[in-house]
Every structure is written in structure tokens, then in C-alpha cells.
């Protein structure tokens, strides 16, 4: 009978006490982490920083101008890169071998050079080309066109477009060929197939890395400070060169970057949900 | 002229010749089943009829129009992809793996062709699409996404999607091969009723029972060629060719 069952020690199964597994090292490691954070917080409080000045720099008019310029540059560069990236990706997948080679070379070049170098090359273009000319269409002096904004836009945007091309290509390739065949079978043209069937499905693969890249782009605009474009870092430097509160202005700028990146992450979350699996 | 006329159709993939001169005619309203061992070229031939594959030699006419070409001044001009797309409007196709658009509901899948390809108004297309879903027994699943449907339900939506273009000809590429056994019947039922309504159909299938009861004619393919063709009674019950006999001995 079941009631007669006994363990080797002579205890009934129903009377056995269960001892949960203990995790002492979780408590220890948790305490260490909290201690480190507390230490950093204490150091920050003790540091020679005028914390009370930081909010003032955060809302300083020059800082706000830097924020606006940073956002404009990041959005313009990323937007241009997405459009260019789609074009390069389509060339990369094209049946035309010349287009394919061009796309491979384009990606190789613009992905292979540091963004800072590319920005500097664009900004100094006037040293080697006096005028930018398209025969019979227009000709303009290079130093008029190549402002700091345009040079930064080209440097950041072209580099990013090479990455976008690879992201878009991966996205397009991820869509099952049966989808294209089904679209063809109801008489869809290639353009309609791309727009209605392939791209919406490719978006699932394209959006997450694009969101990451956009976050990188927001931070990457800081490189435009070397050509004196008035983005966030340059704005912070302008303020601190007058009052010498270097760390205070840098912290204010850091707070702005975190605000912008957080907003971008939230936007990415909603985009991913809109194109998510069903 | 028959609705579909194929003469000497050849097709190679690399060095492998998959179709070695297929001749086949399908009359209006006729249901033809293509039978044969896998690798015989049945699916490839079907895809050629819809110009999803280009053929290397021979010619296929659908309703008097050379598939993939435009004839003018005694010459055949190869079509651009967007012109080929125009030709495909008249031919519906149902795939082994359904290939529904996963980001659109059942109703949107059915509406996609008439709205996007034919440019018709959404309201009237919606009414037709609802009627088509009703016809395949899925009116209550109109708002469901393909991922929420069983294989049999997905395939029935796929049939409705093809029918929405009001095709002259329906091609079925092993429509029940990817289905769980208990779901095969519901798809075959829809196809049977479609055949009864007079639709011209070419069906690649391994369902001998379906071929026997629904097909007007069966064609038996081996190694890229039609070896035997005739009524189901002739070919299935009294095969003349040894290859047909061998195949039927295995599947029946």
C-alpha cells in the first residue's frame, strides 16, 4: 500500500521537507555591483563639478542650436543613406553585371574609409576642384557649395549608404522566392511586387539594424565638429571656451545625446511593432 | 484552337535537360492532370505555361497568344517582365507551398490582384473577394492572417486569390503535397467544384483518386516527355507503356 512507503531513513514521502536551492553568490555579486555604483555616485558628488550649472547649459540657446543642427544632420544623412542604400542594393542584386560590380565597388570604398577622413576630404574638395561642373547643366565654385553642413552630410551619408545597401540587400534576400512567384502569378509587375510584397516583408529584417545605425548616426554627427559645423559637441565647446566649465557643458551635451538616442530607440520599437510578425 | 497548346517544349537547368520536347493540348473547360514520378518535369512544365520559367525551345500558346512573346510581322518578340506580367493576368496559379502574402489578411490577399494589378475599386472588389472566400468555405476567416490558418485553409485562400483575377486557366502545382493528410480533402473538394463549374485546369498531382474522378484527361510524364495520355480510365486502368505500368503499380 502507498501509505506504507518509507524512504531509506524511514520517513513517509508526504512528510519529506523540500529545501529550495540557495543562491548565495547572487547576493554577493549583487552587493558588489551596488557597492561599485555607490562608489561612483559618491565620487561624482565629491568631484569638482558645478552640478547646479549643468541644467543651465542643457537649455543654453547655443546648446539648443547644436541639438537642432545635430538632429537635422543625422536625419538628413540617414534619410539620404536609406534612399541611396535601396538603389545600391537593387544594383547589387541586378542582372546587369556592370551594375553589380559598381555596387560592390561602392560598398567597398565608402564602407572602407573612416567617416572622419571622408568628411575631411569632402570639406577640402575645393583645394583640388575649383568648380563643380556638369557640362551644359551648371558650374558652381566648390567652396560655395561645400559648406560644413554639406561636407558632413556627404561624409556621414555616403558611408552610411554603404551599410544601408548591405542591410537592404539582406532584407530583400530574406523574402522567400515563392512570394515573388505568387505576386507574378497574379500579374504583378516587378515594381508593384517590390512595393506591395517584397519590401513590406523585408522591413522586418531591415528595421532593427537600421535603428542601430541611426543611433550610431546621431552620435557620429559629432565628427562634424572637426570642420566647425555647429553640432552638439561644437556648441558645447563654444560655451565652455567662454566660461571654462568644460566638464559641465560636456555633461549637458551628454544628457542631450542620451535624450535623442532614447527617443530614437522608442521610435524603433514602434516601427518594429508596426512591421512585426503576424 | 485549344486553350493551351504546347509544342516541343524544351527546358534545361544548366546541363540538365528537364523538359525534352513536351507536346500537350488542353481544350477549353478541360481538366488535365499531369502524373508521373518526381523529377519528370511536371512542375517545370506548369511553370513554363505561366512564364515563371522561360523555355529554351518549342512554343506554348495560351488562348492563341504565344507565352512570353508578342507576335508582330511574322516575328516573335521576347516580352519585357512587365509585359509578361500582363499576360499572366489571365492565368491563375496555385503553389505547393501556398505562398500567401503573410503580411495581409485572407481578404486582402484575395483583393490584392484586382486592386493592385487591375486597378479596380476596392468596394466592388471587396464584395467579390468575400464571395470568393465564401465559395472556398472561408467567409468567417476573412480577417485572419495566413499564419493563423491551417495549411488547407491557406491553400483554399490561395485558390480564391487566383480566382479573383477571373483567369481563363488555372494551374495547380501539387496543391495538396504540403498538407497534412486530413486536410487534403477540403482542398480537393474546392478544386472538384471548380472543375464542375467548367474551369480549364492543369493539375500536377499525386492524388490518383482525384485524377480518376475529376480529370477529363491525364498525361503521364517521365524524364521530361509525355509518354502516355488519354482518359483516366484508359491510362490509369489500362496503361500501355511499361513506365506508366511501373509507376501505377507503385502508387495504386
Amino acid at each position: 500500500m502507498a501509505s506504507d512507503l518509507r524512504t531509506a531513513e524511514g520517513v513517509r514521502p508526504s512528510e519529506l521537507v523540500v529545501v529550495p536551492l540557495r543562491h548565495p553568490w547572487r547576493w554577493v555579486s549583487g552587493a558588489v555591483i551596488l557597492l561599485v555604483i555607490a562608489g561612483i555616485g559618491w565620487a561624482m558628488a565629491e568631484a569638482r563639478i558645478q552640478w547646479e550649472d549643468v541644467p543651465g547649459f542643457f537649455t543654453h540657446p547655443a546648446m539648443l542650436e547644436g541639438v537642432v543642427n545635430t538632429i537635422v544632420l543625422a536625419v538628413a544623412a540617414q534619410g539620404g543613406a536609406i534612399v541611396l542604400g535601396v538603389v545600391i542594393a537593387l544594383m547589387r542584386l541586378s542582372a546587369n553585371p556592370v551594375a553589380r560590380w559598381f555596387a560592390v565597388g561602392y560598398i567597398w570604398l565608402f564602407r572602407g574609409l573612416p567617416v572622419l577622413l571622408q568628411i575631411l576630404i569632402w570639406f577640402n574638395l575645393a583645394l583640388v576642384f575649383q568648380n563643380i561642373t556638369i557640362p551644359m547643366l551648371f558650374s558652381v565654385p566648390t567652396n560655395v557649395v561645400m559648406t560644413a553642413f554639406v561636407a558632413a552630410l556627404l561624409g556621414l551619408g555616403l558611408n552610411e549608404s554603404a551599410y544601408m545597401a548591405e542591410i537592404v540587400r539582406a532584407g530583400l534576400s530574406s523574402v522567400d522566392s515563392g512570394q515573388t512567384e505568387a505576386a507574378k502569378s497574379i500579374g504583378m509587375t516587378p515594381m508593384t511586387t517590390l512595393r506591395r510584397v517584397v519590401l513590406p516583408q523585408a522591413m522586418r529584417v531591415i528595421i532593427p539594424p537600421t535603428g542601430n545605425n541611426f543611433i550610431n548616426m546621431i552620435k557620429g554627427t559629432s565628427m562634424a565638429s572637426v570642420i566647425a559645423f555647429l553640432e552638439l559637441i561644437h556648441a558645447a565647446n563654444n560655451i565652455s571656451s567662454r566660461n571654462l566649465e568644460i566638464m559641465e557643458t560636456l555633461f549637458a551635451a551628454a544628457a542631450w545625446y542620451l535624450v535623442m538616442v532614447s527617443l530614437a530607440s522608442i521610435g524603433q520599437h514602434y516601427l518594429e511593432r508596426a512591421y512585426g510578425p503576424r | 484552337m485549344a486553350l493551351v497548346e504546347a509544342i516541343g517544349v524544351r527546358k534545361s537547368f544548366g546541363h540538365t535537360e528537364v523538359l525534352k520536347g513536351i507536346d500537350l493540348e488542353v481544350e477549353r473547360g478541360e481538366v488535365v492532370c499531369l502524373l508521373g514520378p518526381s523529377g519528370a518535369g511536371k512542375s517545370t512544365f506548369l511553370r513554363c505555361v505561366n512564364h515563371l520559367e522561360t523555355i529554351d525551345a518549342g512554343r506554348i500558346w495560351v488562348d492563341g497568344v504565344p507565352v512570353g512573346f508578342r507576335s508582330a510581322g511574322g516575328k516573335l518578340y521576347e516580352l519585357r517582365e512587365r509585359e509578361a506580367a500582363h499576360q499572366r493576368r489571365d492565368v491563375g496559379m496555385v503553389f505547393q507551398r501556398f505562398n500567401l502574402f503573410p503580411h495581409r489578411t485572407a481578404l486582402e490577399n484575395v483583393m490584392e490582384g484586382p486592386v493592385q494589378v487591375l486597378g479596380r475599386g476596392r468596394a466592388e472588389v471587396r464584395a467579390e473577394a468575400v464571395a470568393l472566400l465564401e465559395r472556398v468555405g472561408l467567409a468567417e476567416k476573412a480577417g485572419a492572417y495566413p499564419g493563423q490558418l491551417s495549411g488547407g485553409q491557406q491553400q483554399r485562400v490561395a485558390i480564391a486569390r487566383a480566382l479573383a483575377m477571373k483567369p481563363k486557366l488555372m494551374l495547380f502545382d501539387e496543391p495538396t503535397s504540403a498538407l497534412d493528410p486530413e486536410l487534403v480533402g477540403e482542398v480537393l473538394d474546392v478544386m472538384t467544384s471548380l472543375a464542375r463549374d467548367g474551369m480549364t485546369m492543369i493539375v500536377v498531382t499525386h492524388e490518383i483518386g482525384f485524377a480518376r474522378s475529376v480529370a477529363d484527361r491525364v498525361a503521364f510524364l517521365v524524364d521530361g516527355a509525355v509518354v502516355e495520355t488519354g482518359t483516366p480510365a484508359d491510362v490509369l486502368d489500362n496503361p500501355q507503356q511499361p513506365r506508366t505500368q511501373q509507376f501505377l503499380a507503385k502508387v495504386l
Side-chain angles (χ1 to χ4, degrees):
Chain A
M1 294 251 315
S3 57
D4 293 334
L5 274 175
R6 292 284 194 279
T7 64
E9 291 89 356
V11 187
R12 288 174 201 269
S14 57
E15 289 164 354
L16 284 170
V17 177
V18 176
V19 181
L21 178 62
R22 315 239 179 236
H23 299 283
W25 287 109
R26 286 187 190 168
W27 289 95
V28 172
S29 54
V32 169
I33 291 167
L34 289 177
L35 211 64
V36 168
I37 292 173
I40 293 173
W42 179 77
M44 282 296 191
E46 287 292 295
R48 286 190 295 137
I49 297 171
Q50 311 293 320
W51 288 109
E52 65 278 7
D53 291 351
V54 173
F57 295 136
F58 188 77
T59 54
H60 193 288
M63 189 72 89
L64 296 181
E65 194 187 346
V67 170
V68 170
N69 285 341
T70 290
I71 292 173
V72 168
L73 178 58
V75 169
Q78 189 71 42
I82 289 172
V83 173
L84 258 178
V86 171
V87 172
I88 299 295
L90 290 175
M91 291 173 83
R92 182 80 173 72
L93 297 169
S94 149
N96 182 342
V98 180
R100 277 204 309 271
W101 293 333
F102 176 82
V104 170
Y106 180 97
I107 293 166
W108 171 78
L109 183 68
F110 287 107
R111 198 171 59 171
L113 295 174
V115 181
L116 187 56
L117 179 83
Q118 295 189 47
I119 291 175
L120 289 171
I121 287 177
W122 287 114
F123 190 59
N124 290 298
L125 206 64
L127 298 177
V128 288
F129 299 112
Q130 271 203 320
N131 296 296
I132 294 172
T133 306
I134 292 179
M136 316 229 270
L137 275 180
F138 69 88
S139 179
V140 283
T142 305
N143 55 14
V144 171
V145 182
M146 201 53 72
T147 61
F149 176 76
V150 172
L153 181 67
L154 286 171
L156 288 163
L158 292 178
N159 173 261
E160 176 63 14
S161 72
Y163 283 95
M164 282 310 302
E166 289 294 86
I167 291 171
V168 171
R169 178 171 73 100
L172 294 178
S173 309
S174 76
V175 179
D176 184 62
S177 63
Q179 290 291 309
T180 316
E181 293 188 347
K184 280 181 173 181
S185 79
I186 55 171
M188 274 194 190
T189 58
M191 270 312 291
T192 311
T193 303
L194 186 68
R195 189 170 55 82
R196 296 286 303 177
V197 177
V198 177
L199 267 183
Q201 296 184 64
M203 290 307 266
R204 271 218 312 262
V205 175
I206 291 174
I207 288 172
T210 304
N212 276 340
N213 279 18
F214 181 57
I215 285 170
N216 260 328
M217 175 64 81
I218 292 173
K219 297 175 293 176
T221 54
S222 59
M223 278 181 281
S225 62
V226 299
I227 55 170
F229 177 68
L230 197 84
E231 47 66 64
L232 201 40
I233 301 272
H234 193 59
N237 283 342
N238 280 351
I239 296 171
S240 61
S241 65
R242 266 172 267 140
N243 57 27
L244 301 180
E245 292 193 73
I246 293 170
M247 282 302 263
E248 289 78 358
T249 50
L250 285 182
F251 280 179
W256 268 118
Y257 278 114
L258 290 178
V259 167
M260 289 189 286
V261 167
S262 305
L263 290 177
S265 308
I266 293 169
Q268 176 182 358
H269 171 77
Y270 281 104
L271 262 181
E272 279 179 32
R273 215 166 63 172
Y275 284 96
R278 303 202 207 267
Chain B
M1 198 176 184
L3 183 64
V4 180
E5 274 194 41
I7 297 170
V9 174
R10 288 177 177 274
K11 171 74 186 173
S12 299
F13 292 110
H15 295 294
T16 315
E17 191 170 41
V18 182
L19 303 180
K20 299 171 181 167
I22 299 239
D23 300 317
L24 190 76
E25 285 190 10
V26 181
E27 299 291 338
R28 269 166 225 282
E30 199 178 21
V31 177
V32 174
C33 282
L34 303 184
L35 306 177
S38 54
K42 310 180 294 292
S43 291
T44 304
F45 174 72
L46 204 67
R47 293 162 59 80
C48 290
V49 175
N50 207 9
H51 198 47
L52 288 179
E53 306 283 357
T54 53
I55 59 181
D56 301 333
R59 205 65 67 215
I60 303 174
W61 283 270
V62 173
D63 204 13
V65 178
V67 171
F69 294 93
R70 175 168 44 84
S71 75
K75 286 183 182 164
L76 289 178
Y77 295 92
E78 202 175 331
L79 292 183
R80 296 178 179 286
E81 188 48 48
R82 48 176 303 122
E83 297 167 319
H86 203 278
Q87 274 191 349
R88 291 194 195 97
R89 293 177 177 191
D90 293 337
V91 181
M93 184 148 187
V94 175
F95 300 87
Q96 183 177 354
R97 287 178 51 241
F98 330 133
N99 295 345
L100 289 179
F101 306 132
H103 55 304
R104 304 196 189 285
T105 64
L107 185 69
E108 288 167 346
N109 265 277
V110 179
M111 291 174 64
E112 189 70 5
V115 172
Q116 295 299 326
V117 177
L118 303 178
R120 296 175 50 202
R122 294 189 71 86
E124 57 165 352
V125 170
R126 174 182 293 269
E128 283 180 22
V130 168
L132 278 169
L133 284 177
E134 198 143 348
R135 182 171 176 187
V136 299
L138 288 172
E140 78 285 5
K141 295 289 186 186
Y145 286 94
Q148 301 164 333
L149 300 174
S150 74
Q153 291 170 334
Q154 288 189 57
Q155 194 61 299
R156 287 187 280 153
V157 174
I159 294 173
R161 176 177 67 180
L163 290 176
M165 294 297 289
K166 302 192 172 122
K168 299 170 186 164
L169 168 69
M170 284 284 284
L171 307 174
F172 293 86
D173 186 6
E174 302 199 23
T176 58
S177 297
L179 296 178
D180 291 336
E182 77 272 21
L183 303 178
V184 168
E186 62 191 61
V187 172
L188 292 182
D189 287 346
V190 170
M191 291 168 61
T192 305
S193 88
L194 204 54
R196 299 269 140 82
D197 290 349
M199 176 61 77
T200 312
M201 296 163 53
I202 306 179
V203 184
V204 172
T205 186
H206 296 294
E207 298 289 334
I208 303 292
F210 174 80
R212 188 191 300 278
S213 61
V214 178
D216 299 303
R217 211 147 50 80
V218 301
F220 188 78
L221 274 71
V222 177
D223 285 341
V226 178
V227 295
E228 192 160 358
T229 176
T231 65
D234 286 346
V235 175
L236 296 176
D237 299 331
N238 188 19
Q240 301 300 310
Q241 299 292 324
R243 296 299 301 266
T244 317
Q245 291 163 359
Q246 282 168 23
F247 177 77
L248 290 173
K250 277 184 211 152
V251 295
L252 286 179

